Amino acid sequence: MSRTVIVTGGSRGLGLAITRALLEAGYAVATCSRHPGDDLPPLLAAYPDRLFWQQADIGVAASSQAFIDGAVQRFGAPWALINNAGIAREGILATLPLVEVDDLIQTNLTGAIQVARAALRHMLSRPGGGRIINISSIIGQRGYTGLAAYAATKAGLDGLTRALAREVGRRRITVNSVAPGYLDTEMSGTLSGGQREQIVRRTPLGRLGTADDVVPAILFLLGDGAHFITGQTLTIDGGITC
Ligand SMILES: NC(=O)c1ccc[n+]([C@@H]2O[C@H](COP(=O)([O-])OP(=O)(O)OC[C@H]3O[C@@H](n4cnc5c(N)ncnc54)[C@H](OP(=O)(O)O)[C@@H]3O)[C@@H](O)[C@H]2O)c1
């Protein structure tokens, strides 16, 4: 029986790259997003037995609960959860509409907590431990003009990681954050040419990251060799924060 990993936001970007890599590595994957997108349907056709997708908005408690219920019904209690789904809203805080602040917190922080809470109820009943990985961001550690509310949600996720690692460690469930730097995905599409050039200039490895730069760390943290690593934030940013 394949181990099951729940990945939120698997329809594109980093979540899609993680989903694809997990399937190739032999895991079963349950993922969700608000829309199926263009790239997930062919993957669903290629892996009908090991890939499950359900439409869900993780910012809505009933919707994230229904997704976890659907995933458990399909594959049983999960081995791991990757809290990947997230949104970015850019704008200086003084003028950022409150509705956008609410959206950010509801999706990136409350959503991740809701999904973790629902998934943990099943993970705790499964013998043999498990893994939770929260996708935070270097923005939560260092900040960036125009991303204050986003940064707050990502710093919150790192706090969730540390506290939850203490809470579930005795059950051999590890909880870690992976904090990418600037990735070339749809989310970073709002960066101006000047901002991109500045990021590249300040990055020792001389480029923006890609989803494929992050995937190997996820595979490592899910694997048996990472069983004594918990409560940590692993930064993958080409050295921009070093
Ligand atoms: N891109 C970067 O530079 C960067 C850097 C550091 C960290 N990160 C973090 O990495 C994660 C993935 O980012 P990405 O660049 O891959 O973003 P992306 O390309 O915009 O993809 C985001 C994924 O999350 C889903 N999603 C968004 N809101 C959702 C909701 N309320 N309910 C369910 N699914 C939702 C999206 O699908 P739908 O829109 O269809 O719902 C999509 O599948 C995020 O947590 C992000 O903050 C990104």
Side-chain angles (χ1 to χ4, degrees):
M1 266 285 277
S2 304
R3 280 176 166 172
T4 301
V5 182
I6 293 176
V7 182
T8 61
S11 65
R12 60 172 190 270
L14 181 57
L16 179 68
I18 293 170
T19 297
R20 191 173 276 133
L22 291 177
L23 289 167
E24 284 166 7
Y27 291 96
V29 180
T31 190
C32 70
S33 48
R34 292 165 299 177
H35 321 279
D38 296 331
D39 297 320
L40 204 56
L43 213 54
L44 280 160
Y47 293 95
D49 299 332
R50 285 195 288 121
L51 179 58
F52 167 83
W53 173 81
Q54 186 166 312
Q55 191 279 332
D57 181 341
I58 60 156
V60 176
S63 185
S64 42
Q65 183 65 56
F67 164 55
I68 297 299
D69 290 347
V72 170
Q73 200 168 18
R74 176 70 189 274
F75 292 132
W79 157 248
L81 162 67
I82 303 176
N83 264 322
N84 163 80
I87 55 171
R89 297 278 183 271
E90 214 180 326
I92 54 168
L93 192 62
T95 54
L96 189 67
L98 265 185
V99 63
E100 302 212 352
V101 174
D102 283 345
D103 256 10
L104 277 165
I105 295 172
Q106 201 60 34
T107 304
N108 294 4
L109 193 53
T110 311
I113 293 171
Q114 274 167 183
V115 172
R117 183 175 176 276
L120 262 173
R121 291 176 170 213
H122 300 281
M123 291 172 73
L124 286 167
S125 70
R126 185 188 175 284
R131 303 277 192 270
I132 295 179
I133 301 173
N134 294 315
I135 307 295
S136 59
S137 167
I138 59 166
I139 305 296
Q141 304 164 3
R142 299 297 175 99
Y144 196 83
T145 299
L147 290 176
Y150 175 81
T153 65
K154 293 301 185 178
L157 273 185
D158 286 343
L160 171 70
T161 288
R162 289 188 290 271
L164 201 52
R166 292 183 183 278
E167 208 168 292
V168 297
R170 292 294 161 99
R171 305 297 292 268
R172 293 200 289 135
I173 296 173
T174 69
V175 188
N176 291 288
S177 287
V178 167
Y182 304 90
L183 300 180
D184 224 343
T185 64
E186 205 168 305
M187 186 177 276
S188 55
T190 55
L191 287 172
S192 69
Q195 283 173 314
R196 277 176 176 262
E197 275 168 30
Q198 189 188 53
I199 291 163
V200 168
R201 221 176 24 250
R202 291 181 179 173
T203 302
L205 290 176
R207 62 172 173 84
L208 260 70
T210 66
D212 289 339
D213 294 323
V214 178
V215 165
I218 303 283
L219 289 172
F220 168 67
L221 287 172
L222 288 177
D224 291 334
H227 64 271
F228 203 54
I229 301 173
T230 197
Q232 304 304 309
T233 297
L234 178 55
T235 300
I236 302 172
D237 67 351
I240 197 170
T241 58
C242 74

